Amino acid sequence: MDFQTAVRTCLQEKYATIAGRARRSEYWWFALFTLIGNGVLSIIDSILFGDAQILSGLFSLAVLLPSICVAGRRMHDTGRSAWWLLLCFIPLIGILVLLWWFIQKGTDGSNEYGPDPLADQPA
């Protein structure tokens, strides 16, 4: 999955869909999109509004739900419930555990959350 496809999938096709599975590329391309978007809009905000983060704040609100959903689908791909995302509320350790799970390869074949998203890809 490329950058454009991942962003389109997360923002249009699966904006508020937590069901199913997301491969690593979908999750990480969308994370890069949100990072770049926030960075660019923060620069524009500082030029236009000084310390007020109006545009980057609106962007963050707009991508909050799809970010949570793609993270949940990524957890599903590793065979874990999306409820494990609540680990982010444990300072440092929770974030590190989630990061470790996000970089892991998903389970091969179908699991309880759906078919393998890489099954239709050529080897």
Side-chain angles (χ1 to χ4, degrees), residues 15-108:
Y15 185 86
T17 304
I18 204 163
R21 296 168 64 173
R23 54 180 91 156
R24 284 182 286 189
S25 60
E26 179 181 346
Y27 175 79
W28 288 111
W29 281 126
F30 189 71
L32 179 64
F33 166 75
T34 58
L35 181 70
I36 291 171
N38 268 321
V40 169
L41 290 173
S42 291
I43 292 169
I44 294 172
D45 276 336
S46 65
I47 292 169
L48 296 177
F49 307 113
D51 289 336
Q53 296 293 306
I54 297 170
L55 298 176
S56 62
L58 290 173
F59 178 78
S60 295
L61 282 175
V63 297
L64 178 64
L65 184 59
S67 295
I68 293 169
C69 290
V70 74
R73 291 193 310 271
R74 182 72 201 118
M75 294 303 294
H76 289 170
D77 192 42
T78 62
R80 294 174 180 85
S81 170
W83 286 105
W84 280 106
L85 292 174
L86 295 175
L87 281 177
C88 71
F89 293 113
I90 300 173
L92 188 61
I93 299 298
I95 301 291
L96 292 174
V97 169
L98 287 174
L99 180 62
W100 177 252
W101 287 341
F102 288 150
I103 63 174
Q104 296 299 306
K105 183 181 183 300
T107 56
D108 292 324

